Amino acid sequence: MAQGIPDEVLMNTALIKDLADVAKDAALLQGVLMRAQETLVSYAPFTLFPTPVPKAVFLQALAVQTHYNTLVDRISQDSEFLQEALASTIEVDDFTARLFRIHQQILKEGRSQSIVLGLNRSDFMLDQKDGQAASLKQIEINTIAASFGGLSSQTPDLHRLVLKVAGRLEESRRILNNNPAAGLAGGIAKAWELYGSERAVIMFLVEENQRNIFDHRYVENELWKRDNYVHLCHSLFSDGQEVAVVYFRNGYMPQNYMSEQSWDTRLLMERSRAVKCPDISTHLAGTKKVQQVLARPGVLERFFPGQPQVVEQIRATFAGLYTLDMGPEGDTTVEMALAEPDKFVLKPQREGGGNNIYGSEICQVLEGMKDSTERMAYILMDKIHPRPVQNYLLRQDAPLKVSNCLSELGVFGAYVRQGKEMVMNECVGHLLRTKSSEHSDGGVAAGVAVLDNPLLI
């Protein structure tokens, strides 16, 4: 592990076993927890050691985050751009089209709230192909339900302890403090404060026990029966107590909307005076198609006129992104992907992990739709090639073995705008997730990646 944990530690079987036991106990004590089953809580999966990350690249990711906050916010206010960017996608992708229709309805009726709250996470990998220096490349930006701010606030002390027990005091000092939970909560608190009612409440919308909280029947039949939720639901569906802020922890997947009532509920929320996190236009700003359109020449300049340095900072993090719209440009993308599929990732307009398509499967999917408008529901992106690092992935009931691992760096942003005034715009922390190199896709919740910390080198 270059400038990180030496091989004599990584390959010391007895020491590794002791360190794993110490780490698991510490995780339980420090709240690095995840519900494993309905009645069982265990430690959340994590790496035994922190992963080396070049300091310059790490600081680059932190520095660009406030610009990404601004970019997302400006996109959300540019209805003409969203219409142009998503025109082809909404022809063929019903989920995005349903979201876009809500966006259009709100524009027609007029926005009911001038306060905008954005809590997002921009995800990157370090591209190091052909022995070159590490280059920061964005995978995506999550504008809805950007997760793991809480758990990533708990893991620095965990890895510091492991390194100290291993006798690696110098390395333990290179793990940064990290508390995105405080920053994200600060954004919510600022939005609540600006709303201006001390009696108003904050609502967190989550999917519980596989039941869909967007379904009126679930709200009426279940949540109304539970005292700790009654005042929240009452405020949303009748004339009771006000909701100041609605935070969407779900609502980014088609299965979150299993009936027409679910879509009616989302529209009802968007029409309300509550501050939505995200509102519907910010949700759309985080789609893969928008990401691809932003990479076109001259598009970033639309949002940062007269700010070439900001444009360059953002553009430097873009990987190659290619349209699959019908026409010569999209045809060229198809030919390129079919000729060398291992160089690319095929991405649908979906969030939550496990949706991307790699390698020979790209050929199978594209061959079936290369002459069809169905292809417009996807974009193509250059595959990023991070350098594998050896580490141990600690999971409940999994064997303790060294693995070749790849990591993904997420950076959390929080912003609040009131009218035209940006009253808060901050980078509030980071998240490192690591997985075995044998897996192409999938996050922590999907059981593929684990929590990690950067060890700056």
Side-chain angles (χ1 to χ4, degrees):
M1 190 179 287
Q3 299 185 51
I5 310 304
D7 289 345
E8 58 263 30
V9 175
L10 283 170
M11 300 305 165
N12 186 330
T13 305
L15 176 61
I16 292 299
K17 184 180 183 306
D18 289 342
L19 291 175
D21 290 340
V22 167
K24 292 173 186 178
D25 288 344
L28 295 171
L29 289 171
Q30 294 179 20
V32 185
L33 303 173
M34 182 177 285
R35 179 181 288 179
Q37 298 175 15
E38 180 63 25
T39 59
L40 176 64
V41 172
S42 180
Y43 60 86
F46 63 98
T47 59
L48 181 58
F49 298 108
T51 293
V53 174
K55 183 176 181 179
V57 178
F58 177 79
L59 294 178
Q60 178 191 1
L62 299 189
V64 78
Q65 183 57 42
T66 53
H67 298 321
Y68 268 115
N69 291 347
T70 301
L71 176 60
V72 169
D73 184 51
R74 290 178 179 175
I75 292 170
S76 74
Q77 299 174 70
D78 193 333
S79 57
E80 182 181 345
F81 173 79
L82 283 173
Q83 173 73 54
E84 293 171 354
L86 294 172
S88 59
T89 303
I90 61 179
E91 283 186 37
V92 293
D93 187 283
D94 183 64
F95 177 64
T96 307
R98 297 294 295 265
L99 294 172
F100 192 80
R101 285 202 289 274
I102 292 175
H103 163 71
Q104 289 181 305
Q105 185 68 27
I106 295 303
L107 288 178
K108 180 180 178 181
E109 296 175 3
R111 300 179 193 270
S112 58
Q113 179 55 260
S114 65
I115 302 167
V116 174
L117 168 63
L119 304 179
N120 60 57
R121 194 188 70 231
S122 191
D123 291 335
F124 305 92
M125 275 186 164
L126 306 189
D127 197 17
Q128 293 182 274
K129 57 178 176 289
D130 303 325
Q132 299 176 358
S135 174
L136 187 74
K137 295 301 175 185
Q138 188 190 55
I139 301 166
E140 63 180 354
I141 189 162
N142 302 276
T143 62
I144 181 170
S147 58
F148 291 103
L151 284 175
S152 58
S153 301
Q154 303 297 107
T155 55
D157 284 341
L158 183 60
H159 276 139
R160 288 189 190 110
L161 174 64
V162 170
L163 292 174
K164 287 175 183 177
V165 173
R168 313 301 302 185
L169 295 180
E170 192 277 328
E171 287 92 339
S172 72
R173 299 188 187 102
R174 284 193 266 138
I175 297 179
L176 300 178
N177 290 329
N178 186 37
N179 194 2
L184 297 171
I188 294 173
K190 174 57 73 174
W192 176 86
E193 175 189 326
L194 292 172
Y195 184 86
S197 173
E198 293 185 359
R199 293 181 59 83
V201 298
I202 298 168
M203 174 184 279
F204 293 87
L205 291 177
V206 299
E207 189 175 31
E208 183 175 330
N209 301 331
Q210 306 303 310
R211 291 174 293 189
N212 188 359
I213 202 164
F214 282 95
D215 194 318
H216 277 294
R217 290 168 296 179
Y218 171 51
V219 171
E220 294 170 356
N221 296 335
E222 297 294 336
L223 294 186
W224 275 84
K225 297 176 183 176
R226 295 181 351 212
D227 291 341
N228 61 325
Y229 278 100
V230 162
H231 64 294
L232 299 182
C233 294
H234 186 57
S235 64
L236 203 66
F237 298 111
S238 70
D239 295 323
Q241 188 174 0
E242 285 184 276
V243 172
V245 179
V246 178
Y247 177 82
F248 289 91
R249 184 57 191 91
N250 76 349
Y252 53 88
M253 297 185 290
Q255 52 264 44
N256 297 141
Y257 303 85
M258 298 302 291
S259 67
E260 286 301 314
Q261 289 179 321
S262 302
W263 288 106
D264 291 343
T265 303
R266 178 68 188 266
L267 177 59
L268 180 64
M269 291 174 179
E270 294 295 333
R271 283 170 163 163
S272 77
R273 288 189 62 249
V275 180
K276 277 74 66 177
C277 184
D279 62 20
I280 191 67
S281 56
T282 305
H283 186 168
L284 290 168
T287 55
K288 302 296 188 296
K289 184 60 181 179
V290 166
Q291 180 189 12
Q292 179 259 307
V293 172
L294 287 172
R296 287 184 170 279
V299 176
L300 281 178
E301 285 82 355
R302 174 179 182 142
F303 299 102
F304 296 96
Q307 295 180 274
Q309 290 182 327
V310 173
V311 168
E312 181 52 38
Q313 277 186 268
I314 296 173
R315 187 167 285 145
T317 67
F318 286 171
L321 291 153
Y322 312 96
T323 182
L324 281 162
D325 287 355
M326 304 308 291
E329 188 179 0
D331 292 343
T332 299
T333 300
V334 171
E335 293 171 6
M336 188 170 63
L338 292 176
E340 298 182 284
D342 290 335
K343 288 187 175 182
F344 303 101
V345 181
L346 188 63
K347 291 186 163 189
Q349 310 300 312
R350 295 292 179 268
E351 305 297 334
N355 300 300
N356 296 335
I357 300 166
Y358 300 84
S360 60
E361 192 178 352
I362 291 178
C363 296
Q364 296 172 23
V365 173
L366 278 182
E367 285 287 0
M369 63 179 185
K370 64 181 181 180
D371 298 319
S372 165
T373 57
E374 183 184 354
R375 77 188 198 190
M376 298 192 302
Y378 297 79
I379 67 165
L380 193 73
M381 188 179 88
D382 283 344
K383 189 175 181 180
I384 302 169
H385 297 275
R387 180 183 298 165
V389 172
Q390 289 193 319
N391 209 329
Y392 292 85
L393 308 181
L394 303 184
R395 289 193 183 90
Q396 184 74 15
D397 300 324
L400 184 62
K401 63 177 184 177
V402 70
S403 300
N404 285 323
C405 300
L406 306 175
S407 296
E408 182 175 320
L409 174 65
V411 181
F412 292 98
Y415 66 89
V416 180
R417 176 172 51 82
Q418 186 173 32
K420 294 185 179 297
E421 181 187 3
M422 187 72 87
V423 297
M424 176 182 178
N425 183 6
E426 298 177 6
C427 169
V428 297
H430 59 270
L431 164 71
L432 195 69
R433 290 170 295 172
T434 294
K435 62 188 176 185
S436 170
S437 59
E438 66 188 39
H439 296 290
S440 295
D441 200 14
V444 178
V448 175
V450 305
L451 300 169
D452 198 350
N453 275 293
L455 179 65
L456 299 187
I457 58 174

